[in-house]
Amino acid sequence: MKIANGLEALELTVNLMGRQTTIYPTLFWDKDSVILVDAGFPGLEPQIKEAIEKTGVSFERLNKVIITHQDIDHIGSLPEILACAQQKVEVLAHEGEKPYIQGDKPLIKAETAKRSKLFETLPEDQRKRLQAAFSNPPKAKVDRTIEDGEELPYCGGIMVIHTPGHTPGHICLYHKASKTLVTGDALTADGGQLSGPNPSATYDLDEANKSVKKLAQFEIDNVICYHGGVLTNDVQEQILQLAL
C-alpha cells in the first residue's frame, strides 16, 4: 500500500502454524537509497523481491535493510536477501539487537517458542521445520548500529526511536516528510484499531508500555504496524489513548 512518494507498506501473506497471517515490511526509496524495513519469515525472499518489484522499484537497487528487532519473523529471510542482492546491502539495527541478529547470542524468545503448545498442533514436518529454525536461527552481520534520536539522512529523513520492551533493542522509525510511524511490534492493529504490544510475545511488558508513551510525542498521520497493516484514521488520538 502506497503511503507517500517513496514509501510503501509491503503486504505478505504466509501460512504459519496452519493458518494464514499477513505481515507488513516497509519500503523507503529515493534516487540514492532503497531501504527495506524488516525481512519476514524464513523462506520469504522470493515474495519480498516480488513485492518490491511491484512498487516499481528494482530489487537490484536495494542497498539497506533496517531491522526493528531480532524476532524470527523480522530477520527470517535476511540472509537470503543479502545473498541474492546485486550490490552490497548495509544492515542497520540497534546495538541491543546486534548480537542476536548476528547469532552471537541465542534469540531471546527461542526457547519459549520451541516449547509452544501451538507446535503440538502442527503436522510433524512443519513442526520439525519450525523447531529447526528456532534452534538454528537465520543470522547476518549488522554493518551499522543506530541509536535513539538519530536521524538517518535518507528518503526525506528517518528518525530512530528506541522502544524497548518487545525486545531490549526494539526500534520504531518515524518518517518526517510523511509523518509516518513504522512501529515494528511496539504497536499492533486489528480492524483499524491500534493496540499496544502483544503481551504473550513481549519480553518486558512494563517497558513496552513505557515505550508507547514515547511514541505519543510525535506528530503522526500514518501508522504501519508489522502485524495489522496501515492505519490513517485518528491515529494520533489512538496513540495518545494507549499512552495514558
Side-chain angles (χ1 to χ4, degrees):
M1 178 178 178
K2 183 176 180 179
I3 311 298
N5 289 334
L7 172 56
E8 292 207 18
L10 308 180
E11 184 174 330
L12 304 175
T13 299
V14 298
N15 190 310
L16 179 67
M17 294 188 177
R19 61 177 182 168
Q20 296 286 316
T21 187
T22 302
I23 56 174
Y24 295 85
T26 298
L27 190 72
F28 292 102
W29 72 92
D30 60 16
K31 64 182 180 63
D32 298 314
S33 300
V34 175
I35 306 169
L36 176 68
V37 182
D38 289 329
F41 293 95
L44 277 188
E45 178 270 324
Q47 283 182 249
I48 291 171
K49 183 176 181 179
E50 180 181 4
I52 290 173
E53 296 281 352
K54 282 183 177 178
T55 69
V57 177
S58 170
F59 180 79
E60 294 182 359
R61 292 188 56 214
L62 181 70
N63 57 7
K64 291 177 178 61
V65 177
I66 301 175
I67 298 295
T68 62
H69 64 290
Q70 63 184 271
D71 287 351
I72 202 163
D73 56 332
H74 293 254
I75 66 169
S77 288
L78 181 57
E80 288 76 21
I81 289 169
L82 299 180
C84 74
Q86 300 299 306
Q87 59 180 316
K88 166 65 177 174
V89 176
E90 184 181 36
V91 177
L92 296 82
H94 190 272
E95 181 68 37
E97 301 297 279
K98 179 179 177 178
Y100 303 97
I101 297 168
Q102 294 191 154
D104 301 324
K105 293 182 178 180
L107 302 182
I108 287 175
K109 304 170 193 173
E111 287 304 315
T112 301
K114 284 188 286 185
R115 294 194 302 268
S116 171
K117 293 190 178 188
L118 286 171
F119 280 15
E120 298 174 7
T121 67
L122 296 175
E124 184 177 2
D125 61 334
Q126 290 186 37
R127 183 172 67 251
K128 286 182 176 179
R129 283 200 302 271
L130 277 171
Q131 289 176 328
F134 281 107
S135 297
N136 185 25
K139 50 186 177 285
K141 182 177 183 293
V142 174
D143 299 294
R144 177 181 166 192
T145 57
I146 50 181
E147 61 185 24
D148 186 45
E150 181 176 354
E151 184 173 334
L152 305 176
Y154 317 119
C155 306
I158 302 170
M159 182 172 288
V160 178
I161 312 168
H162 182 213
T163 47
H166 187 76
T167 62
H170 187 286
I171 60 169
C172 296
L173 300 171
Y174 178 67
H175 185 235
K176 296 176 66 175
S178 65
K179 299 180 182 177
T180 297
L181 179 69
V182 180
T183 73
D185 287 355
L187 297 174
T188 58
D190 185 21
Q193 287 296 121
L194 278 172
S195 299
N198 180 353
S200 66
T202 295
Y203 177 71
D204 184 332
L205 190 57
D206 287 342
E207 194 70 25
N209 287 330
K210 290 178 185 176
S211 290
V212 174
K213 297 180 186 295
K214 193 173 186 178
L215 298 176
Q217 302 171 23
F218 292 84
E219 186 177 353
I220 299 167
D221 289 345
N222 314 290
V223 171
I224 304 173
C225 292
Y226 197 74
H227 301 284
V230 178
L231 286 79
T232 58
N233 293 327
D234 301 319
V235 290
Q236 185 83 60
E237 181 60 29
Q238 290 190 56
I239 293 172
L240 290 172
Q241 288 300 313
L242 290 171
L244 293 176

